[in-house]
Amino acid sequence: MFAVNDLVVYPAQGVGQIESIDQQNIGGNACQLYTVRVRANNITLMVPVATAGHVGLRTLITKNEAQRLWKSLLTDTHKTVFAGQNWNRRFREYSERLKNPDLAVVVEVLRELLLIGRSKELSFGERRLQDQALGLVLGELSEVLGLPLQSMQQDLMAVYATPPRQEKAQ
């Protein structure tokens, strides 16, 4: 059970803060609800306390896990990504994976999209997914590690920038 002012993560929405725990009558049944304000977009979510775990509401990852994920994002930049399937199938697959409560799964989606973007133009939908994954990953990592989100994003984009083409020696 969470308490008021706890920071939590809601899958596909990101880091939020529990503003209140309210009792409401829904369909004739008394129901306790967490009111969660998502930091990235300032929306409010009402999450039933009884099903909070089932929908993936969780605490932020540990500092050690955040450091491990951040380091892996910055260093594992040469993985092979199969981009042969059509962008529509990739889009559906990545959309589903972004809903996963495990941040490591979302990190892998972000890494794959960044790697694909190195070699070819991402579709509009893939760019949107990349932005969403970037927000989810960096939102939580910056909160846990206490690092500025902007500088983390700049560091990450510099690491995944398209490598310059090497000139052939004549």
Side-chain angles (χ1 to χ4, degrees), residues 19 21 32 68 79 81 95 140 149 166 169:
E19 290 188 332
I21 303 171
Q32 274 193 310
R68 185 187 70 75
K79 288 186 173 186
V81 177
S95 293
E140 186 167 358
L149 189 111
Q166 296 191 358

Side-chain angles (χ1 to χ4, degrees), residues 41-52:
N41 52 20
N42 208 31
I43 66 167
T44 301
L45 303 171
M46 304 291 283
V47 182
V49 170
T51 60

Side-chain angles (χ1 to χ4, degrees), residues 72-119:
S72 82
L73 253 179
L74 294 176
T75 58
D76 295 345
T77 61
H78 298 293
K79 288 186 173 186
T80 303
V81 177
F82 176 67
Q85 65 198 42
N86 70 23
W87 69 269
N88 201 5
R89 185 171 299 166
R90 258 195 328 270
F91 180 84
R92 283 192 307 255
E93 178 188 332
Y94 290 155
S95 293
E96 280 306 306
R97 287 171 53 194
L98 286 181
K99 297 174 189 171
N100 194 306
D102 184 355
L103 187 63
V105 172
V106 180
V107 165
E108 284 308 310
V109 170
L110 176 59
R111 181 190 334 273
E112 288 178 24
L113 287 166
L114 289 168
L115 289 171
I116 291 169
R118 271 182 163 173
S119 59

